[in-house]
Amino acid sequence: MTVSFLSMQDVAMPNPRSHRNSAFHRLLAVIRELLGNPSSGFGFIVISILLLTALVAPLIAPYDPNVIDLGQTLQAPSAQHWFGTDELGRDILSRIIYGTRISLTIITIVSVIVGPVGLVVGTTAGYFGGWYDTIMMRITDIFLSFPSLILSLAFVAALGAGLENAIIAIGLTAWPPIARLARAETLTFRGADYISASRMQGASPLRIIVKSIMPMCLPSVLVRITLSMATVILTAAGLGFLGLGAQPPLPEWGAMIATGRRYMLDNWWLVAFPGGAILLVSLAFNLLGDGLRDALDPKQR
Amino acid sequence: MTAIDVSNLSIDLGYGSAKKRILGDVCFSVEAGESFGLVGESGSGKSTILRCIARLLTLWEGDIELEGRSVKNMPFAEYCRMVQMVFQDPYGSLHPRQSIRTALQEPLRIHRMDRQMDRMERALVDVGLNPDFLSRYPHELSGGQRQRVAIARALILEPRILLLDEPTSALDVSVQAEVLNLLADLRARRNLTYLFVSHDLAVIDHMCERLAVMQHGRVVEVMGREVLATGRAKDPYARELIQASLEYDQAV
């Protein structure tokens, strides 16, 4: 029964690496990984182009998206109007370019609402458990049991048609899956020793949730938000198409399809180009989300 | 002075006929400055006792007194400054996304302690690590280094009592010896009280003056360290455990 005595001097090694820019390097590494895979690379590039387009829309759009030119109605795609013109003679390419701003506004505001709400509801429910968990999860169940478009329709009907109300309605329907995810993640961490350790050090539940649990949930929540962006774009376009989202003069893609519907049979370009834009962007968000999951999820390594 | 006094600690799970006793009437006391061991086979309730004292489990009956005051009605901030714990798994006890700096600074921030940088550097030096380690993340450290960081984190609030839940069982044998020597050294320097859980009698023999042998949630015998060498325990199970351990050591 003897324990061998070894010196404990040689364990203290100086740190060879510096971590000054570790967050920046991590971001670069994630981007490199996204570009390394063809499908997530496609998603990343399309989203980057979308962001850039929205930023410089007035510079690259060949025409004003709202100027009516009744001498040029329903022109087929040509060198002058690449994507043709609509029933009021407005250039469709310009409208699609300006439409990126509306889509991005919707996406940004929805994720700013949905991310924190889902994260807070999910982590608190998972951490506290008990009746609080039961109540919160039944509420999310109720929200989850409606198809999101139908529920947004109900909200818009109650709040009134318009872009702002459409954003609020989509935000209200998009948080439950994120809350569920955050709760499930929290349940796997709450019993971990590092949570016990920080509780023993006197950390309040709020501090534990914000400092220890949320950073652990963040990667999967980010992935989930990216993936749900595709649904958000489709729901926004659906509301626009039904006349409950963005209202007609605004170049919103769904609303463009809705007004083009009447001329669709003879003038295919009125719906094909906005439809293609919706398809491309929601596909890109899906692919980017898949790629992000591979790049961020530590469990898959 | 008595540092830890556990009396009639019991835990029952389930209701009615399905009721099952997890811990039964555990009594022992640890003097200030003493190192007390808890041994027993897996599932005998050693770690459960530690978690009760650590206030991580709350549904127990009986009484636990620390320095003469019941843990149940002690202000939590004061309690944290008195007792800290080192966990078994060095891979699970450090937050994977927090740097060592954050891990050490959190308790100081919570308790609003002064000279934080100073304290953090000294805590690392005290456990035999270079202060450069502050900017590292747990995945960049070896198991032994992580356990040293965990010990530094436990000691940064300057507690008088340290609960050790098999602090070396997840480590390689040579690293195990280093960490044990570090713990013995820290106890001597800071006059700490240890409650040391282990299933390894050799470790307990090296670290503790007295120990309690546990079986099926009960303390079967409290004995001094010298009994381990002679094997003259009163209780048949304790005798068997010591004998088995002696034979195993000889076989190795």
Side-chain angles (χ1 to χ4, degrees):
Chain A
M1 273 196 197
T2 50
V3 177
S4 58
F5 292 86
L6 291 174
S7 89
M8 42 178 268
Q9 300 305 317
D10 55 344
V11 283
M13 288 175 300
N15 180 4
R17 273 180 285 171
S18 107
H19 291 270
R20 220 156 282 161
N21 296 322
S22 75
F24 181 66
H25 280 290
R26 240 178 82 77
L27 186 70
L28 277 185
V30 166
I31 290 176
R32 203 172 303 133
E33 184 152 344
L34 285 177
L35 289 174
N37 178 331
S39 63
S40 61
F42 170 79
F44 183 74
I45 289 169
V46 169
I47 303 300
S48 310
I49 292 174
L50 180 78
L51 282 169
L52 213 66
T53 311
L55 210 65
V56 299
L59 298 179
I60 56 173
Y63 298 90
D64 187 310
N66 291 322
V67 160
I68 295 169
D69 182 357
L70 291 175
Q72 297 272 337
T73 54
L74 298 172
Q75 298 281 309
S78 63
Q80 212 180 356
H81 297 283
W82 289 3
F83 287 1
T85 60
D86 66 4
E87 77 282 2
L88 296 172
R90 295 173 295 195
D91 182 54
I92 291 184
L93 176 62
S94 308
R95 288 177 70 72
I96 287 178
I97 288 173
Y98 273 90
T100 57
R101 291 188 155 185
I102 296 176
S103 294
L104 272 180
T105 312
I106 295 172
I107 289 169
T108 314
I109 298 179
V110 166
S111 33
V112 165
I113 297 174
V114 155
V117 169
L119 206 55
V120 166
V121 170
T123 49
T124 50
Y127 183 74
F128 292 117
W131 58 265
Y132 177 78
D133 181 30
T134 313
I135 291 174
M136 284 324 223
M137 283 305 111
R138 289 304 78 77
I139 294 174
T140 40
D141 279 344
I142 291 168
F143 275 92
L144 272 175
S145 58
F146 288 100
S148 63
L149 183 62
I150 309 287
L151 193 57
S152 336
L153 269 180
F155 279 123
V156 172
L159 299 168
L163 191 60
E164 302 80 21
N165 290 343
I167 290 173
I168 295 171
I170 295 169
L172 283 171
T173 58
W175 65 268
I178 290 163
R180 273 290 183 80
L181 179 76
R183 173 178 176 267
E185 294 261 312
T186 307
L187 287 179
T188 61
F189 304 132
R190 65 183 276 201
D193 281 347
Y194 53 83
I195 303 290
S196 302
S198 88
R199 210 181 310 167
M200 274 205 81
Q201 285 162 347
S204 61
L206 181 72
R207 197 181 188 101
I208 292 176
I209 288 173
V210 172
K211 294 214 162 180
S212 301
I213 291 179
M214 281 192 182
M216 296 301 285
C217 297
L218 214 54
S220 45
V221 165
L222 261 178
V223 169
R224 179 67 226 204
I225 288 179
T226 316
L227 285 173
S228 68
M229 282 309 108
T231 329
V232 167
I233 289 180
L234 290 179
T235 313
L239 285 176
F241 179 76
L242 293 170
L244 295 168
Q247 293 304 303
L250 281 180
E252 203 270 329
W253 297 342
M256 283 166 73
I257 297 178
T259 50
R261 194 173 40 121
R262 277 182 289 159
Y263 312 94
M264 188 168 74
L265 291 178
D266 305 315
N267 312 92
W268 56 270
W269 56 90
L270 253 60
V271 291
F273 290 114
I278 294 170
L279 170 82
L280 193 68
V281 172
S282 61
L283 180 69
F285 268 112
N286 266 325
L287 294 176
L288 180 72
D290 275 341
L292 266 184
R293 174 163 52 205
D294 294 344
L296 291 181
D297 193 352
K299 275 169 254 161
Q300 296 209 337
R301 302 206 162 202
Chain B
M1 189 173 66
T2 317
I4 307 171
D5 186 32
V6 176
S7 51
N8 300 320
L9 174 66
S10 19
I11 297 179
D12 296 294
L13 292 182
Y15 299 99
S17 61
K19 198 166 183 174
K20 199 157 181 285
R21 185 144 265 215
I22 306 296
L23 277 183
D25 294 327
V26 172
C27 299
F28 63 86
S29 63
V30 183
E31 293 299 311
E34 191 186 23
S35 175
F36 189 87
L38 279 176
V39 283
E41 57 193 81
S42 304
S44 59
K46 315 178 290 279
S47 298
T48 311
I49 294 180
L50 227 55
R51 284 180 175 269
C52 290
I53 300 174
R55 288 175 53 160
L56 295 171
L57 292 175
T58 46
L59 294 168
W60 42 268
E61 287 152 37
D63 205 16
I64 298 176
E65 286 185 356
L66 298 174
E67 297 183 351
R69 296 164 65 188
S70 174
V71 290
K72 277 186 172 166
N73 44 34
M74 193 185 296
F76 197 55
E78 204 176 311
Y79 168 86
C80 298
R81 303 282 296 262
M82 187 196 283
V83 189
Q84 282 296 319
M85 181 158 167
V86 176
F87 294 86
Q88 175 174 10
D89 179 13
Y91 292 87
S93 64
L94 296 176
H95 195 292
R97 287 181 193 268
Q98 282 179 353
S99 64
I100 308 306
R101 181 192 308 278
T102 317
L104 293 180
Q105 203 163 22
E106 274 299 285
L108 296 179
R109 282 204 193 120
I110 293 167
H111 294 273
R112 299 192 181 165
M113 287 165 92
D114 54 346
R115 297 181 292 113
Q116 298 194 346
M117 199 62 214
D118 205 33
R119 284 174 193 269
M120 278 153 42
E121 282 178 357
R122 204 166 41 110
L124 282 183
V125 171
D126 282 353
V127 295
L129 295 176
N130 194 308
D132 291 352
F133 274 63
L134 279 180
S135 56
R136 289 214 194 176
Y137 282 82
H139 64 85
E140 296 171 316
L141 306 183
S142 71
Q145 289 171 334
R146 287 178 192 223
Q147 200 62 308
R148 282 166 192 268
V149 172
I151 294 169
R153 179 182 60 185
L155 290 177
I156 203 159
L157 289 178
E158 295 165 2
R160 298 184 287 281
I161 301 169
L162 203 55
L163 308 172
L164 299 138
D165 187 2
E166 309 207 29
T168 57
S169 65
L171 303 175
D172 187 70
V173 178
S174 60
V175 182
Q176 200 168 354
E178 288 170 10
V179 172
L180 289 176
N181 289 340
L182 170 69
L183 286 169
D185 185 39
L186 286 169
R187 181 163 82 96
R189 263 194 283 160
R190 300 189 173 203
N191 197 24
L192 297 165
T193 308
Y194 282 180
L195 182 56
F196 200 106
V197 162
S198 181
H199 55 250
D200 189 340
L201 280 173
V203 169
I204 294 284
D205 182 38
H206 179 57
M207 292 299 295
C208 304
E209 286 101 50
R210 288 196 306 139
L211 64 142
V213 178
M214 292 194 63
Q215 185 192 21
H216 305 320
R218 279 165 206 286
V219 172
V220 294
E221 188 174 343
V222 177
M223 61 179 89
R225 188 214 326 243
E226 64 286 349
V227 182
L228 288 176
T230 59
R232 287 203 199 101
K234 287 184 221 84
D235 181 81
Y237 173 76
R239 219 157 40 222
E240 207 179 313
L241 190 74
I242 295 169
Q243 198 55 42
S245 169
L246 280 171
E247 278 166 18
Y248 177 77
D249 272 13
Q250 281 157 8
V252 171

